[in-house]
Amino acid sequence: MTDKTDRANPTLEDWQHWTLVMGRAQQMLMDAWAEGLKQAQPGDAPTAPAWGAFPPAFGFGAAQGQADPMALMNAGAEAWAKGLEAWGQMVGLQPAEGARKDRRFTAPEWRDNPLFDQIRQTYLALADRMLGSVEQIEGLDPETRQRMKFATQSFVDAMSPSNFALTNPQVLKKTIESRGENLLNGLANMLKDVAAGQVTQSRGGAFELGKNLAMTPGKVVHETPLYQLIQYSPTTEQVLETPLVIFPPWINRFYILDLTPEKSFVKWCVDQGITTFMVSWKSADESIADATLDDYVLGGQVDAIDTIRDLLDVEGVHAIGYCVAGTTLAATLSYLETAGQSAKVKSATFFTAQVDFSEAGDLKLFTGADTMALLEQLTAEKGYLDGRYMAATFNLLRGRDLIWNYVVNNYLLGEEPPPFDLLQWNSDTTNLPGGWHRDYLESFYKANRMIEKGGIKVAGVDIDITNVKTPCYIQAGREDHIAPPESVWKVMDYFSGEKRFVLAGSGHIAGVVNPPSAQKYQYWTNDRPCGTLESFIEGATEHKGSWWPDWRQWLQKQDPKTVAATGARIPGKGKLKAIEDAPGRYVRSR
């Protein structure tokens, strides 16, 4: 920590420096406040920043000249430790080593200094006691218990001593070494994030679409007000006759499946000899604010399928639906079955998709009456939901990693986050049609109408997912908190055709985006009939690495015929002329 000899009697130069630091911080806040007033609409009441005179997390609250800033920091840490100790005594805890590894406390300062070692151990013991107490409460229904667990976990994560300048030894050390520059840099970072309306998770300017993200060569060959259809350029002389169309979630940008070339599922498919198409949904604006399920099924998925069939003169396509687009793909398959058009889709693959929401993930926690009322309020004026609200919801589901980690790194340590393609995508928000988003939450997550025959309708046609006979490949992530494997498995209970279930290591994103070259994670298969996920796991065979090659083999079994990669197989060379280069302008629209 501090050198007590040097800091016992601060010099005039010390006082002048720390007075300047505080003055600069106050000026930055005043500038931000003035900018906010400038941007306010006529008639709006002027408002000051919500954090008041200075952000509490930065730990500067004393008037200049009252005490040595370094001494104040030490005193604050000691007071926090005593408070934790008192709480521990009240609930009968002794400071103890956390049983689990915790990345928040890996720095040696947390153990080398007895004061911070005590803070760390007592916090972990208290956190375990609080979280454990939720499990011990009797008489709670599962949904209420899950809400309480989430709220308790959120509170415990927010109150971690690592999140506050005075109780984080790394921050104190950096503050002493930089003489407060880290806090000024952090304040500048925070003010920029407040203005942008979201936390910065990847270094700005590190990635550009078409340059080092979403760079698989291709052309936009079809466009509607709802989506653009991208056809990718072949890299093999022969390709599977049946093409592939990918439906990504409309709540995110499609390039999660086309990140850097070494991670790109799209590039891998093309290199595997698959004629690949991608739907790039338009970020909602007033022109599509009134879009509904009918639009995403008929005007989106069915339209794309028919467009590809006509372009390549093929009977059907292979289709992939990721997350919410997988849910609507199930509705599309049922609709086509009822219409006698099931041959349009030769096979369907579902990435972490749900049809029965009785055991859906943590997003169910955000479907209460208060949330629905807020969504209606947020979309009342323009008809669509600003994507930053949805991004904030997903960040809350993993608050420790996606919020508090950046509070410490960006705001307290004053550093820039490293460039990370996945987090660049995570921050690239997409606006959503307001009415359709609320209806999706109400009809699927809350009312679970998808599993009722006629519970939902498409163009007046009753949807019955038990009539789906299309061969299906169903992938789930073992650690998925958005679409838990228990929930994804339920697809197996409803579809009546051939089904292959694969359980991948990791979660909602890394479990899908896992190229073979990375040699990461694993996946499990079980070729014996299984009635439950538990029985699947019990008899499953573990395979190292990516499940992508397993899917490729399964896909070829559905239709092994190949054709030359000429003519309409080359983007823009068929009856559909190229509109623009991939990745297109829809993915860039905000």
Side-chain angles (χ1 to χ4, degrees), residues 245-558:
V245 59
I246 303 173
F247 299 111
W250 57 85
I251 59 177
N252 302 114
R253 304 290 180 174
F254 80 80
Y255 63 88
I256 185 58
L257 296 174
D258 190 24
L259 292 170
T260 54
E262 61 273 12
K263 295 180 183 178
S264 173
F265 179 75
V266 168
K267 182 179 185 303
W268 184 84
C269 286
V270 171
D271 291 344
Q272 291 292 312
I274 302 172
T275 302
T276 304
F277 292 80
M278 173 70 75
V279 164
S280 174
W281 303 108
K282 184 178 183 180
S283 180
D285 56 18
E286 290 91 338
S287 68
I288 60 169
D290 59 352
T292 65
L293 174 63
D294 284 5
D295 294 299
Y296 280 90
V297 170
L298 299 179
Q301 294 184 343
V302 174
D303 182 73
I305 290 167
D306 284 342
T307 299
I308 296 166
R309 291 175 58 249
D310 182 59
L311 171 65
L312 300 183
D313 192 24
V314 293
E315 180 185 30
V317 305
H318 298 302
I320 292 177
Y322 194 167
C323 190
V324 294
T327 305
T328 51
L329 180 58
T332 295
L333 296 177
S334 176
Y335 174 85
L336 292 175
E337 188 72 42
T338 301
Q341 301 173 11
S342 60
K344 290 183 176 182
V345 181
K346 287 201 171 183
S347 82
T349 298
F350 295 85
F351 293 168
T352 65
Q354 304 172 95
V355 297
D356 182 337
F357 291 79
S358 58
E359 295 185 59
D362 288 341
L363 277 177
K364 286 192 75 172
L365 300 171
F366 296 88
T367 58
D370 290 344
T371 301
M372 302 309 293
L374 176 61
L375 287 175
E376 188 166 3
Q377 179 182 346
L378 292 172
T379 58
E381 182 179 352
K382 295 183 177 180
Y384 62 88
L385 179 68
D386 188 319
R388 290 174 294 183
Y389 290 101
M390 197 65 187
T393 299
F394 282 110
N395 287 342
L396 280 171
L397 296 178
R398 291 181 55 202
R400 182 185 301 181
D401 296 327
L402 297 179
I403 297 177
W404 297 112
N405 175 52
Y406 297 100
V407 167
V408 175
N409 182 80
N410 302 6
Y411 306 160
L412 300 184
L413 294 174
E415 298 175 355
E416 277 192 287
F420 189 8
D421 53 1
L422 181 58
L423 289 175
Q424 173 70 27
W425 166 84
N426 189 61
S427 300
D428 193 354
T429 59
T430 306
N431 300 333
L432 308 174
W436 164 227
H437 182 58
R438 294 195 306 274
D439 181 55
Y440 187 90
L441 295 177
E442 290 278 6
S443 297
F444 295 88
Y445 271 91
K446 291 186 70 176
N448 203 16
R449 291 178 185 150
M450 185 74 157
I451 62 174
E452 303 172 12
K453 182 176 180 179
I456 62 170
K457 299 177 186 294
V458 171
V461 175
D462 289 347
I463 296 302
D464 176 12
I465 58 175
T466 64
N467 73 354
V468 174
K469 301 181 181 66
T470 305
C472 292
Y473 188 101
I474 301 157
Q475 178 270 341
R478 182 180 61 173
E479 300 166 17
D480 195 335
H481 62 287
I482 294 174
E486 297 83 3
S487 187
V488 175
W489 172 267
K490 291 180 182 295
V491 175
M492 302 284 287
D493 298 334
Y494 294 95
F495 293 174
S496 55
E498 173 204 337
K499 300 179 289 288
R500 180 170 178 79
F501 184 86
V502 170
L503 182 63
S506 199
H508 197 70
I509 302 299
V512 173
V513 185
N514 183 28
S517 60
Q519 298 183 354
K520 291 177 65 177
Y521 310 126
Q522 67 282 100
Y523 67 97
W524 292 265
T525 61
N526 190 338
D527 295 329
R528 293 183 292 275
C530 300
T532 64
L533 178 62
E534 290 74 18
S535 62
F536 172 90
I537 293 173
E538 184 178 349
T541 300
E542 180 177 345
H543 310 270
K544 297 298 182 183
S546 173
W547 54 268
W548 293 5
D550 179 85
W551 170 80
R552 173 64 176 81
Q553 293 174 11
W554 178 87
L555 197 73
Q556 185 158 358
K557 288 178 182 177
Q558 308 308 311

Side-chain angles (χ1 to χ4, degrees), residues 127-145:
D128 285 342
R129 173 61 65 88
M130 291 183 69
L131 292 169
S133 66
V134 177
E135 298 294 345
Q136 297 170 5
I137 299 175
E138 298 180 356
L140 294 181
D141 62 83
E143 184 174 343
T144 302
R145 190 181 302 277

Side-chain angles (χ1 to χ4, degrees), residues 184-198:
L184 290 174
N185 292 338
L187 178 57
N189 290 340
M190 186 179 72
L191 291 174
K192 284 193 293 186
D193 285 356
V194 168
Q198 62 184 123

Side-chain angles (χ1 to χ4, degrees), residues 81-104:
K82 289 178 181 177
L84 267 184
E85 183 180 9
W87 273 103
Q89 291 172 353
M90 286 176 62
V91 297
L93 287 179
Q94 293 296 323
E97 184 71 27
R100 62 190 183 279
K101 291 182 179 180
D102 196 319
R103 289 185 298 172
R104 296 172 296 180

Side-chain angles (χ1 to χ4, degrees), residues 19-29 181 184-185 187:
T19 298
L20 178 62
V21 168
M22 294 181 186
R24 286 168 62 191
Q26 293 286 358
Q27 186 60 51
M28 291 166 69
L29 285 166
E181 286 299 315
L184 290 174
N185 292 338
L187 178 57

